[in-house]
Amino acid sequence: MNSMRKIGFSRLRVELLFAALVSLVVAYGCHILIKEGGNYYLDGLVASEEYMYGKNEKMSLLFQDYVDDHGLLLENTGDILHWCRENKTSVTLYNETTQGLYSYYSFLGSQAQISTVDEMAFEVSGEYATGEFSVRFADGTRVRALFYYDRIYNYYNYFYTASLFAAGISFLLVFMMLIARKVNYIRIMDKELKVLEGGDLEYEVTELGRDELYQLAHGINEMRKAVLRREEEERRNAQANQELVTALSHDIRTPMTSLIGYLEILKMGRYHSEEQKEEFLEISRQKAFQMKEMIDKLFEYSLVTGKMEETYHMERMEIDTILSAILDGQVSDLVNEGWEVEENLSGYTSENSVMADVEFFQRVLDNLLSNIRKYADKSGKVIVGVKEGENEFAFSIRNKVLHEEALGGSTGVGLKTCQKIMEAMDGSFRVEKTKNIYCVSVTLPTVHP
C-alpha cells in the first residue's frame, strides 16, 4: 500500500511538473515571439531613412517653435535640455562661426557637452543622424542641427516589458488549462464527499487516473465499503442475537414451567410418598441445571461476541502439538468412556504451523467434544480427520446423531460461539448435517516455516 502511495504521489508530481514545464515553454515562446517581433519591427523603422528623416524633421520644427516661443539663446543649455528630455530627442548643434559644438542628450544629466570642433568633426558626429537641419535663435544666431529621435529606442523596452507580461499571462492560462482536469476532479470529489457526509454510504466516489488523487478516492471508497460491511455485520449480529434470545427464551420457558410446576406440588404437599417427593426434587434439580447450562452458554456467547471488538492473542502453534493435545486429551477421554474413535491423520505436513488464540481454540475443542457426549450415538464411530490445503489446516469430527429430537433440543449457542471464535482468528467453522450424520469442520490459516 505504501508503494502504491509513493507511485501515486510521484505520478501527481510528474503531472504537475509536466504541466509547469509545458507552461514555461509556451511562456518563453510567447516572450521571444513578442520581444523579437517588436525588435524586428523597430529595427526596420530605425533602418528606414525615410521614417527617421520624417521624425527628425518634425523634431526640428518643434524645437524651432520652442526656441521662438521662449526666446532662447544658444547659451540657454538648461532650457534646451529640458526640451530634449520632454521630447525624448537628443540634439547636436554646431556654430560655424565659433566652431562650438553643443551636444544635448535626453537620457543624461542636466549638463550639455560643449566642445570646439571643426566642420569635418561635426560632419563625422552626424554619421548616424538622418538629415541636417538649421535652427535660428532669438539673437539671430543660426546653427546647424542634428536630431536623434531617442523615443524609438524606448519602444524596445516597451516591447520587452510587454513580452514579459504576455509570458506571465500565457504561463498561467496554459498551466490552468493543463491542470483543469485535476481541479475539476477535486471539485467532483468535494461534492461527492458532501453526499457521503449526508449519510448516503452507498454512493461511490468517482475514481479517475492512477495518481495520488485516485489513491485518495480509492481509499475513501474502501473505507465506505468497510463501514457498510461493518453495519451489515452488526445488523446480522443483531438479528442473530434476537433470534438466539427468542429461541433461548422458548427453550428456557419449557424447563422453567416444569420446574415451577414441581415446586408448586412440593410446596402444597401433593405427593403420595417420600419416594415421589424425592423424585420430584430430583426432576426439579435437573431442570434447574438444564436452565443453568443454557444461561452459561448464553454468557459464553456474549463473552465471545464482546471479545470480537478486542485483539486476540494469536500464537504460533505447531500442528503436531495441536493434534497431540486433541488425541491425548479429549479423544483419549472419549475412548476411555467407551466411544469408538477412528483417526484419519495422514493429510497434513508436520512442518507447518497455525496462528491461533490458545485459550479460545481450546474452548472450541471442548464444545465439540461436549456435543459428542450429549448428542452422538455410541453405536456409531466418531471419526476424527485432518486435512491440509495450500494455505489452511482443517480439523473435522464426524459422528452419528443419537436421535433427531436430541439434536433439535440444542439451543445452538455453543455452535454460534465456536463460529465467532474461529472467524475472529481468520479461520472458519462449518457444520454439515445429512440425515443422521453430523460433521463439524474447523480450519485455520497455515504458517509455512
Side-chain angles (χ1 to χ4, degrees):
M1 185 66 179
N2 290 334
S3 62
M4 290 180 66
R5 287 179 179 172
K6 290 179 181 178
I7 292 173
F9 181 67
S10 176
R11 284 178 176 171
L12 184 59
R13 283 197 302 177
V14 168
E15 290 177 8
L16 293 177
L17 181 60
F18 175 76
L21 289 176
V22 172
S23 301
L24 282 174
V25 170
V26 173
Y28 181 74
C30 184
H31 164 68
I32 294 298
L33 180 64
I34 295 177
K35 174 177 170 291
E36 295 300 325
N39 290 348
Y40 179 79
Y41 172 73
L42 293 176
D43 289 344
L45 293 181
V46 172
S48 173
E49 293 186 4
E50 181 180 358
Y51 175 81
M52 295 305 296
Y53 182 86
K55 284 292 183 180
N56 290 340
E57 183 180 26
K58 180 180 178 181
M59 290 299 104
S60 69
L61 295 175
L62 290 175
F63 183 68
Q64 184 63 68
D65 291 340
Y66 179 76
V67 170
D68 293 341
D69 292 343
H70 293 80
L72 298 182
L73 300 176
L74 185 60
E75 291 78 14
N76 298 134
T77 57
D79 293 323
I80 296 174
L81 279 171
H82 175 75
W83 181 89
C84 289
R85 283 193 293 269
E86 287 290 323
N87 292 275
K88 303 297 182 187
T89 303
S90 297
V91 179
T92 298
L93 303 176
Y94 180 63
N95 189 338
E96 293 181 339
T97 303
T98 62
Q99 293 188 333
L101 185 67
Y102 301 81
S103 299
Y104 304 88
Y105 298 101
S106 64
F107 46 82
L108 293 181
S110 60
Q111 297 295 326
Q113 297 182 3
I114 303 174
S115 60
T116 301
V117 298
D118 56 19
E119 184 176 358
M120 183 177 295
F122 170 70
E123 291 177 354
V124 170
S125 66
E127 181 179 355
Y128 297 102
T130 304
E132 180 183 321
F133 305 91
S134 176
V135 177
R136 181 177 56 82
F137 285 90
D139 60 356
T141 303
R142 182 175 292 275
V143 297
R144 296 163 65 184
L146 300 174
F147 290 88
Y148 303 88
Y149 183 55
D150 296 338
R151 185 183 295 272
I152 195 170
Y153 295 101
N154 286 336
Y155 292 155
Y156 285 95
N157 294 330
Y158 297 156
F159 275 106
Y160 182 77
T161 303
S163 68
L164 292 179
F165 180 77
I169 296 298
S170 62
F171 175 85
L172 292 176
L173 290 176
V174 174
F175 187 74
M176 292 303 296
M177 288 174 58
L178 292 175
I179 67 170
R181 183 169 175 268
K182 297 300 177 186
V183 174
N184 290 335
Y185 185 29
I186 293 174
R187 290 175 180 169
I188 292 173
M189 289 180 60
D190 179 62
K191 292 180 181 178
E192 293 177 336
L193 287 176
K194 289 179 180 177
V195 174
L196 297 180
E197 288 175 5
D200 185 6
L201 295 180
E202 295 290 343
Y203 189 88
E204 185 172 0
V205 177
T206 304
E207 298 180 7
L208 295 176
R210 300 298 299 177
D211 55 24
E212 193 179 29
L213 294 178
Y214 163 80
Q215 293 294 336
L216 177 61
H218 182 71
I220 293 173
N221 279 328
E222 290 301 311
M223 180 176 64
R224 177 184 60 80
K225 293 175 183 177
V227 173
L228 288 174
R229 286 194 297 268
R230 187 179 184 86
E231 289 181 349
E232 177 63 21
E233 182 179 354
E234 290 177 353
R235 187 191 64 78
R236 288 198 303 267
N237 288 340
Q239 183 178 357
N241 290 340
Q242 181 64 35
E243 294 174 353
L244 179 63
V245 170
T246 302
L248 192 62
S249 54
H250 176 270
D251 292 337
I252 291 177
R253 190 179 295 114
T254 301
M256 182 179 291
T257 302
S258 298
L259 176 61
I260 293 173
Y262 282 112
L263 290 176
E264 286 290 332
I265 292 173
L266 292 171
K267 181 179 180 181
M268 297 175 67
R270 294 180 179 177
Y271 47 86
H272 302 295
S273 63
E274 287 296 321
E275 289 79 5
Q276 192 178 38
K277 176 182 176 181
E278 291 296 326
E279 179 185 354
F280 288 169
L281 284 174
E282 179 61 25
I283 293 174
S284 299
R285 178 176 173 275
Q286 291 176 1
K287 296 297 181 184
F289 276 110
Q290 185 179 356
M291 292 170 57
K292 178 181 180 299
E293 183 179 0
M294 293 181 183
I295 294 172
D296 288 343
K297 287 186 176 182
L298 181 61
F299 176 75
E300 183 180 12
Y301 179 78
S302 300
L303 179 65
V304 171
T305 54
K307 188 175 175 64
M308 293 291 289
E309 304 297 329
E310 304 173 10
T311 303
Y312 275 67
H313 301 291
M314 306 297 287
E315 301 178 22
R316 183 164 182 162
M317 303 172 60
E318 301 292 336
I319 294 179
D320 283 341
T321 303
I322 295 176
L323 292 178
S324 297
I326 295 173
L327 298 177
D328 297 340
Q330 288 95 335
V331 174
S332 62
D333 290 341
L334 288 178
V335 174
N336 294 332
E337 293 170 10
W339 299 85
E340 182 181 358
V341 180
E342 178 180 330
E343 301 174 0
N344 295 327
L345 308 178
S346 58
Y348 79 99
T349 304
S350 60
E351 290 82 6
N352 292 335
S353 307
V354 295
M355 297 297 294
D357 185 306
V358 178
E359 176 187 353
F360 279 83
F361 185 65
Q362 186 63 47
R363 286 192 184 186
V364 174
L365 296 179
D366 291 343
N367 193 293
L368 295 181
L369 274 297
S370 175
N371 284 344
I372 289 177
R373 291 184 176 94
K374 290 179 182 178
Y375 307 117
D377 187 352
K378 260 191 175 181
S379 64
K381 291 182 180 180
V382 176
I383 302 175
V384 179
V386 295
K387 185 179 180 181
E388 186 176 0
E390 183 177 354
N391 295 308
E392 67 177 16
F393 167 75
F395 169 77
S396 64
I397 297 180
R398 182 186 301 269
N399 61 272
K400 183 179 179 181
V401 179
L402 184 61
H403 50 78
E404 198 66 31
E405 289 77 10
L407 187 60
S410 172
T411 62
V413 178
L415 296 180
K416 291 181 182 295
T417 301
C418 294
Q419 183 178 4
K420 291 290 184 182
I421 291 175
M422 297 310 301
E423 288 176 354
M425 293 190 295
D426 295 328
S428 65
F429 184 89
R430 292 189 292 270
V431 176
E432 297 179 6
K433 291 181 288 185
T434 56
K435 294 183 179 180
N436 63 338
I437 301 300
Y438 194 78
C439 180
V440 176
S441 299
V442 176
T443 64
L444 283 171
T446 54
V447 180
H448 301 286

